[in-house]
């Protein structure tokens, strides 16, 4: 990874609430390794549900606490709608 290239994190499908802490840990590891920006690919999440919203919310919080930036990519329309309702869209 070049310093100007963002790191990548892929959220598995389906995501469960049990998947969220390990995802956040992986995100912390990316920032600790020097990433300033991480692109989080949620394209595999075809089902928009509470676990998907929880994953995005926790990942955004983890990024903020680490002083990094997190971009969400490939979110389907259902997930985008839920993220809007939850106030989690940039």
């Amino acid at each position: 990874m070049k310093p100007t290239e963002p790191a990548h994190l892929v959220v598995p499908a389906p995501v469960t609430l049990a998947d969220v802490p390990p995802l956040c840990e992986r995100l912390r590891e990316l920032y600790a390794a020097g990433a300033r920006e991480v692109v989080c690919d949620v394209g595999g999440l075809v089902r928009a549900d509470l676990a998907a919203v929880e994953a995005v919310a926790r990942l955004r919080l983890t990024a903020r606490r680490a002083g990094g930036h997190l971009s969400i990519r490939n979110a389907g329309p259902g997930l985008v709608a839920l993220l809007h309702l939850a106030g989690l869209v940039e």
Side-chain angles (χ1 to χ4, degrees):
M1 173 179 67
K2 296 178 184 176
T4 58
E5 292 181 8
H8 293 272
L9 177 68
V10 176
V11 176
V15 69
T16 67
L17 294 176
D19 294 322
V20 175
L23 284 168
C24 291
E25 181 57 32
R26 177 67 184 128
L27 182 60
R28 280 189 289 275
E29 290 170 358
L30 291 170
Y31 289 124
R36 295 192 189 284
E37 181 178 352
V38 175
V39 174
C40 182
D41 188 339
V42 296
L45 301 179
V46 294
R47 185 171 155 221
D49 59 11
L50 178 61
V53 173
E54 175 73 7
V56 171
R58 293 290 183 156
L59 289 168
R60 287 206 184 275
L61 180 61
T62 299
R64 184 177 304 129
R65 287 179 176 169
H69 182 262
L70 181 73
S71 299
I72 304 298
R73 296 286 186 262
N74 302 320
L79 181 56
V80 170
L82 284 176
L83 294 175
H84 271 290
L85 285 172
L88 295 170
V89 175
E90 294 179 334

